[in-house]
Amino acid sequence: MTLQIPPLTRRQRRVPDRRPAWEEPPSPVGNATKAVVIAVIVAVMVLPFLVVLSTSLASREEITAAGGFVLFPTEPTLEAYRTILSGGLITRAVLVSAGITAVGTALSLLTTITLAYALSKPGVPGRKPVLLLVLFTLLFAPGMIPMYVVVKELGLLDSYWSLILPGLVNAFNLVVMRAFFMNIPEELYQAARIDGAGDFRILTRIVLPLSKGVVAVVGLFYAVTYWNAFFNAMLYLNDSGKWPIQLILRTYVVQNKQLTGDALGVTNMPPQQAISMAVVMIALLPILALYPFLQKYFTKGVLTGAIKG
Amino acid sequence: MNGMSRRTFVGLGAAVAAGVASTSLTGCGSSTAKKTEAASANVKLPTYVPYTGVKPDLPPNAKGLDSGFLSYPKTLVRSVPKPPGDGSKVTLLTEIWTPPPTPKDANAHWQQLNKKLGVDLSVIMGTDPGYDQKFAATVAGNELPDLMWIPPNQGIQHVAQLLEAKCADITELVSGDAVKAYPHLAAMTQAHWKTAVVNGRIWGAPSPYPAFGQVYGGNPKVWEKAEGLSASSPDEFLAKCKEVTGGKVWALEPIYSNAVSVMSQCFGVPNKWERGKDGSLTFWMETDAYLEAINFAIKLKKAGVFYPGNPDMADAYIKMAQGSIGACVYANPTNARKDLRINAPELASQILVPFAAGGSGGPRHHLHRGTIGYTAIKKGDEKRVKMLLSILNYMAAPFGTEERESQEFGSRDLDFTFDKSGFPVRTAKGKKEVEGLRSGLETATVSPSALIASMFEGDARVQDVKDVYAIEQKLIPIGIPDPTVGHYSDAYTEYYPRMSTDAKDLVNDIVSGRKNIKEWKPFWTEAKKRGLDKMRKEFQKSLDKSGE
């Protein structure tokens, strides 16, 4: 008896030889399409930024000729920046924002790291109730008025601390960091303990050096939050001399109220759009400048925190 | 009022902080809720005693025409003989429309003003949008400021309950001739005082504002081509818009809801509410005439005369000054002239007087309520309330008085000097210290609106006063007031902001072509269930009681 092997159909014959589409070498058309799509996406991202930058550097004549926004200024000038940084309203607001961001980020990182470390260790008394309390704030945010009353009762109204203390520990950031710490092998902790290290030494010498990624990411989240905050400032700061840059930005750029020469203490004002865009640039730049330095940690930090529980 | 936001004062929809979630006031009882329907019924309003210390060059009239001042007086009148304060601390919650001033500790002008007021005045400065939230949080904190500016249109709710629970009823102190004890407040008309009436009682000093409403203001260079911004019919207006549109120039700003609002005046639409012969109230947007105004705006849109921006564009005024937009809607003729002078000092804006576009009543001009709210006083013993009223009286000092100059410009030679025409000009110090504080104070209260040459920038300020005065003279005969001014409705404070924002968005969507005009009528059928009928009923009851 001979074994009859049925002939392969045309389809069966073809399939084993063929690689999946994504393994095929890209065709020139495919490459060109990808390049075009990427270029369009990049343009969509970069163009508004370029317009903001260019307009902030443009002269009155160019802005008028362009009908409002300039793409490539022919004679760039820093007059708008000189005007708003001449020691008046914007300079003060930038310094306020920078101070709040620096102090707030440092304190938030300190409290988040120490709390996350404690909550990541099994056997810490009260770990679960504290964790539940933190998670509760993630699910049920306090309303504007309860928050205001708490800030007022703590005597923080009109104080810079009112912009820092209410958001000192962010539950999401805490969960991310705790998840990261829990992923560190237990053997490292045991070895450190055998060598006589206490919790503080373990945290500073072992855990933190291994957690640069997540610390950078969480630090960036905090910094961005502090830098961008305007709502709390609007509610809690009655003294306008303490207003941060974002409140100024919101009021006088987003709402297009004019930053007049009177307020800035100058007589020859650059065009309003240049001033507005310069304020936007000043509000954007510090945080934007941080990203390239933290980018290498970003993906790793976020993903690790996101998938571990 | 310097730089007052268009969001707040331009357009019905734009008048309300757009999309602001309603913020209730806590800490106030609700037992008075039912009384609010009584509104302004039967209160004896303060006697009107116009200020005669400085004679205007252009006379006002009883119908609302502003007085005009063409020069700055060489000698000023001292209208408050001694500081009204008692040396105590006074806090004021108000809104500023300019960048904030130098903080009090470093602000010599502020400290000087405090000496003149005789109090240590601290100002809590809210911004727009966000004032309603700041207000609600401040009230919730239960440490009310002594003086609180209460605007009628920024979503602050349960005002009647707040006033009853926390604020001083000043009716007896200002009603009838009693107001003569505060001469600057007595110079406010009864129409001004109506704003401060809730539950048949007076709760604060009005914050006067020009009595004229929205108009199109235009760049004269753009409209030169079409022989100026004027028209006698919709067809002529459309033709002129088409004529000036071309290249990088468009006739109108793309804020369609404002365009419809101004055009509705041409179509004879009532001012917010119209009282029928049987006493019934009809909301202006419910009328067929308003629908016609939307249809006309659609026609303008199809003709391509609107600037190709979005209906929320924030820099239309600047674009108009630069000549890319021909005309923008302004809160009133004065602002139309002032704002263009700020952005383009050489240009004198032209103002469109409403033309007849059909309808039985002919063209109308929708007058503003003439105030932007009132400043209430925290409950306290009578002596303190009287002292705070005197502070407000000082703040309402009219043009030509020492008190007005010190608030508006500061101290001579330090905060301001005089230009060659004799008009005050702020010095570098005055620029930083005076403007923001003045903005907050004049929001709280100020003397009744007047056309003053020093309000306008540039060398043509005298002509500006004459031109705006002339426009006002043309608008007065067709001006109609909102019949509900001076009548309070809780439903209005609760439902109107949302309804107004939704209506504005729908108008923008319909004119821009994203939605069909057929959706307009069903929207108002639905709005009746969502508060419109309730506010109509409350206003109607109040109007019936007052016999208006």
Side-chain angles (χ1 to χ4, degrees):
Chain A
M1 200 170 120
T2 55
L3 186 63
Q4 292 288 323
I5 300 171
L8 291 172
T9 64
R10 199 173 163 187
R11 181 178 169 79
Q12 283 168 324
R13 262 181 275 138
R14 231 164 27 110
V15 170
D17 296 339
R18 185 161 179 178
R19 287 176 294 186
W22 57 87
E23 288 182 8
E24 294 288 336
S27 67
V29 175
N31 272 343
T33 311
K34 273 184 217 166
V36 168
V37 170
I38 289 169
V40 168
I41 292 170
V42 168
V44 167
M45 303 290 172
V46 170
L47 210 61
F49 186 74
L50 185 64
V51 167
V52 168
L53 178 65
S54 302
T55 308
S56 74
L57 299 171
S59 64
R60 186 183 297 276
E61 292 72 28
E62 280 179 311
I63 290 174
T64 305
F69 293 103
V70 177
L71 199 52
F72 299 107
T74 48
E75 291 173 14
T77 166
L78 291 171
E79 202 49 45
Y81 292 91
R82 274 192 214 107
T83 302
I84 57 179
L85 295 175
S86 61
L89 181 74
I90 306 288
T91 316
R92 193 172 59 216
V94 168
L95 290 175
V96 168
S97 283
I100 287 167
T101 304
V103 175
T105 306
L107 287 178
S108 287
L109 275 178
L110 180 71
T111 47
T112 306
I113 288 168
T114 47
L115 185 57
Y117 178 72
L119 295 177
S120 71
K121 305 302 295 173
V124 172
R127 190 175 77 122
K128 273 201 169 172
V130 172
L131 186 60
L132 282 175
L133 273 178
V134 171
L135 291 178
F136 188 81
T137 66
L138 195 63
L139 298 173
F140 304 99
M144 177 187 82
I145 288 176
M147 278 293 284
Y148 182 89
V149 173
V150 168
V151 168
K152 179 182 163 283
E153 292 302 319
L154 290 173
L156 299 177
L157 280 187
D158 239 356
S159 148
Y160 291 126
W161 292 110
S162 65
L163 306 186
I164 294 173
L165 294 182
L168 196 62
V169 176
N170 176 288
F172 174 76
N173 290 344
L174 183 93
V175 168
V176 168
M177 198 166 271
R178 175 180 169 269
F180 194 95
F181 290 167
M182 289 175 81
N183 195 35
I184 294 172
E186 184 58 28
E187 291 77 7
L188 286 175
Y189 293 106
Q190 288 168 358
R193 290 214 183 277
I194 289 167
D195 288 343
D199 277 318
F200 183 73
R201 189 170 285 254
I202 290 172
L203 176 63
T204 52
R205 294 296 176 86
I206 294 172
V207 175
L208 286 183
L210 289 171
S211 311
K212 281 179 192 159
V214 77
V215 170
V217 167
V218 167
L220 187 65
F221 283 167
Y222 276 126
V224 171
T225 306
Y226 284 118
W227 184 259
N228 287 341
F230 72 89
F231 190 75
N232 284 355
M234 185 185 82
L235 281 187
Y236 305 144
L237 296 182
N238 292 333
D239 180 353
S240 56
K242 292 177 178 170
W243 284 4
I245 183 70
Q246 301 299 345
L247 190 53
I248 303 283
L249 179 73
R250 172 178 175 272
T251 308
Y252 304 109
V253 178
V254 179
Q255 296 306 319
N256 204 39
K257 285 176 186 167
Q258 300 199 351
L259 280 162
T260 60
D262 278 11
L264 296 169
V266 295
T267 43
N268 294 320
M269 278 285 284
Q272 187 63 33
Q273 283 107 329
I275 292 278
S276 298
M277 293 306 110
V279 177
V280 172
M281 283 305 299
I282 287 169
L284 270 176
L285 266 182
I287 285 298
L288 205 64
L290 272 179
Y291 272 101
F293 299 103
L294 298 177
Q295 200 179 16
K296 62 179 178 180
Y297 300 113
F298 203 81
T299 315
K300 189 184 166 194
V302 171
L303 286 180
T304 309
I307 57 174
K308 301 292 176 185
Chain B
M1 203 156 285
N2 235 335
M4 187 161 284
S5 151
R6 66 190 288 139
R7 180 181 284 271
T8 307
F9 294 107
V10 175
L12 171 74
V16 180
V20 172
S22 57
T23 42
S24 310
L25 301 169
T26 56
C28 311
S30 59
S31 61
T32 57
K34 287 179 185 169
K35 293 184 199 168
T36 57
E37 289 172 2
S40 64
N42 302 326
V43 65
K44 188 177 181 188
L45 292 169
T47 307
Y48 173 51
V49 187
Y51 180 74
T52 52
V54 181
K55 198 178 171 220
D57 300 297
L58 307 172
N61 74 17
K63 290 180 178 173
L65 185 66
D66 284 322
S67 49
F69 295 92
L70 303 177
S71 59
Y72 197 81
K74 290 210 164 40
T75 49
L76 299 175
V77 177
R78 186 164 185 191
S79 60
V80 181
K82 59 175 187 173
D86 59 4
S88 61
K89 286 188 176 180
V90 171
T91 46
L92 162 68
L93 173 61
T94 183
E95 187 164 327
I96 54 168
W97 311 89
T98 61
T102 306
K104 185 168 70 174
D105 294 343
N107 189 327
H109 160 68
W110 195 331
Q111 291 162 13
Q112 186 65 25
L113 184 63
N114 277 352
K115 278 184 194 161
K116 290 181 176 173
L117 287 170
V119 291
D120 179 9
L121 177 70
S122 296
V123 182
I124 303 169
M125 296 171 192
T127 58
D128 168 47
Y131 185 77
D132 59 331
Q133 290 157 328
K134 179 93 182 170
F135 190 98
T138 307
V139 171
N142 211 24
E143 264 183 27
L144 251 60
D146 299 292
L147 302 166
M148 287 159 283
W149 175 62
I150 301 180
N153 58 358
Q154 291 199 32
I156 296 174
Q157 293 180 25
H158 307 305
V159 171
Q161 291 91 322
L162 168 74
L163 294 170
E164 297 276 1
K166 304 282 183 186
C167 297
D169 172 3
I170 61 164
T171 312
E172 283 186 18
L173 301 177
V174 296
S175 187
D177 285 348
V179 78
K180 289 178 181 171
Y182 311 98
H184 299 158
L185 299 181
M188 296 185 188
T189 65
Q190 296 199 332
H192 290 129
W193 283 101
K194 275 185 168 185
T195 313
V197 175
V198 176
N199 285 351
R201 276 165 288 156
I202 303 169
W203 297 95
S207 314
Y209 191 71
F212 293 87
Q214 285 182 299
V215 288
Y216 260 125
N219 180 327
K221 275 192 182 168
V222 173
W223 293 95
E224 208 172 36
K225 205 173 163 186
E227 291 173 8
L229 177 58
S230 63
S232 55
S233 69
D235 289 342
E236 190 189 351
F237 184 66
L238 176 61
K240 282 194 169 192
C241 287
K242 281 182 182 171
E243 198 177 341
V244 301
T245 300
K248 282 188 173 180
V249 181
W250 287 265
L252 305 171
E253 63 171 355
I255 303 171
Y256 309 123
S257 54
N258 284 346
V260 172
S261 180
V262 171
M263 285 302 130
S264 76
Q265 302 182 30
C266 302
F267 283 87
V269 171
N271 187 356
K272 306 293 182 288
W273 296 91
E274 186 165 52
R275 199 121 208 254
K277 283 176 185 164
D278 57 349
S280 61
L281 280 173
T282 306
F283 191 59
W284 66 318
M285 290 184 174
E286 292 177 292
T287 61
D288 290 339
Y290 194 90
L291 198 60
E292 284 180 52
I294 298 178
N295 272 317
F296 182 59
I298 293 171
K299 213 170 165 183
L300 291 167
K301 172 73 179 169
K302 284 182 179 164
V305 301
F306 284 113
Y307 180 87
N310 75 72
D312 291 320
M313 75 181 290
D315 60 345
Y317 289 169
I318 297 169
K319 286 202 161 53
M320 190 180 104
Q322 291 162 346
S324 337
I325 290 177
C328 290
V329 174
Y330 290 86
N332 51 56
T334 308
N335 282 17
R337 180 58 65 97
K338 262 169 65 177
D339 283 5
L340 187 58
R341 285 283 191 216
I342 291 169
N343 290 310
E346 74 284 4
L347 297 178
S349 63
Q350 297 181 340
I351 291 152
L352 179 72
V353 175
F355 49 81
S360 55
R364 292 165 161 184
H365 175 65
H366 293 171
L367 295 169
H368 188 267
R369 61 175 60 221
T371 75
I372 52 166
Y374 54 97
T375 294
I377 298 171
K378 189 168 97 172
K379 223 172 229 178
D381 62 63
E382 192 175 312
K383 195 178 162 197
R384 182 157 181 84
V385 172
K386 280 183 172 176
M387 187 275 289
L388 292 169
L389 257 178
S390 300
I391 298 288
L392 291 169
N393 178 63
Y394 187 102
M395 283 158 56
F399 177 72
T401 62
E402 288 180 13
E403 292 76 14
R404 166 78 174 234
E405 183 183 270
S406 65
Q407 290 177 77
E408 193 171 2
F409 296 105
S411 305
R412 289 188 185 203
D413 300 327
L414 282 173
D415 298 316
F416 75 96
T417 54
F418 290 97
D419 68 8
K420 59 181 187 231
S421 311
F423 290 109
V425 181
R426 290 185 186 125
T427 60
K429 175 179 170 291
K431 284 170 183 171
K432 284 185 183 175
E433 296 185 358
V434 178
E435 186 193 57
L437 182 60
R438 170 68 180 159
S439 177
L441 295 184
E442 71 178 351
T443 297
T445 191
V446 69
S447 64
S449 165
L451 299 170
I452 302 166
S454 52
M455 284 169 22
F456 299 91
E457 305 256 335
D459 297 330
R461 47 183 86 188
V462 171
Q463 192 57 44
D464 287 340
V465 171
K466 288 179 183 171
D467 289 351
V468 175
Y469 187 81
I471 287 289
E472 288 189 358
Q473 283 177 310
K474 288 182 186 169
L475 293 175
I476 279 283
I478 55 170
I480 50 165
D482 169 1
T484 64
V485 170
H487 294 268
Y488 181 80
S489 156
D490 245 352
Y492 178 86
T493 60
E494 188 174 352
Y495 300 113
Y496 180 78
R498 186 79 240 166
M499 189 183 85
S500 162
T501 304
D502 290 348
K504 182 198 82 169
D505 290 345
L506 184 55
V507 168
N508 285 334
D509 285 345
I510 289 171
V511 178
S512 60
R514 286 193 293 270
K515 286 190 177 168
N516 195 293
I517 196 159
K518 286 178 184 163
E519 293 184 40
W520 185 247
K521 288 274 179 188
F523 174 86
W524 289 103
T525 310
E526 190 58 31
K528 286 177 185 170
K529 296 177 210 158
R530 288 187 287 127
L532 179 62
D533 276 346
K534 206 172 169 190
M535 58 179 103
R536 190 195 323 266
K537 194 177 151 194
E538 288 179 6
F539 276 136
Q540 211 158 306
K541 202 166 178 180
S542 175
L543 282 160
D544 289 342
K545 277 200 171 183
S546 65
E548 286 180 33

